[in-house]
Amino acid sequence: MSKNFAEKYLIYIVSILVLAFDGAYFDIFPLIIPYMALEYLKFSKIADSLRVLVILIIHSSLCFQRINFIYVLIFATYISFIIIREYFLKPFLPFLIYIFSIGLLTIVADSCWITSLILTTSSLFLWRNKLEKA
């Protein structure tokens, strides 16, 4: 029962933690990178993309007190890679490019490049966890 509850509400719990933590520490430790990786792997319906849009708007407002253009690019990257991944037989390649694109965009958004690079490479482990569950 609790495992099913955790799987069902994991994305909501993670999004609240990301908003709470990144609102204060985005420039040092951007947790939006693993969050976007998790959203990419959990995508199943169009409502998921609306949730990502809302989270990105709130995240941008918390971090920059305005809607940053980089977040528009992050959302566009998310949508385009969701569409592109359906055309690949080996879906790890789009995931790899997607994660490094999100990492690059967070560096451009004035986050610390070292922690962004660490979080980008560590987000690749989410793919492995996805394969182990399958």
Side-chain angles (χ1 to χ4, degrees), residues 38-91:
L38 188 63
E39 282 286 358
Y40 179 88
L41 295 174
K42 295 280 186 181
F43 179 82
S44 62
K45 56 189 177 298
I46 197 70
D48 294 344
S49 60
L50 293 174
R51 180 181 60 234
V52 170
L53 178 64
V54 169
I55 294 297
L56 285 175
I57 289 172
I58 294 170
H59 190 271
S60 178
S61 299
L62 288 173
C63 294
F64 301 105
Q65 289 74 38
R66 60 185 165 80
I67 305 297
N68 195 341
F69 181 70
I70 297 296
Y71 283 79
V72 175
L73 294 177
I74 289 174
F75 185 68
T77 303
Y78 171 74
I79 294 297
S80 61
F81 276 94
I82 289 295
I83 293 169
I84 289 172
R85 77 177 181 178
E86 302 299 323
Y87 297 108
F88 280 83
L89 294 175
K90 305 241 185 239

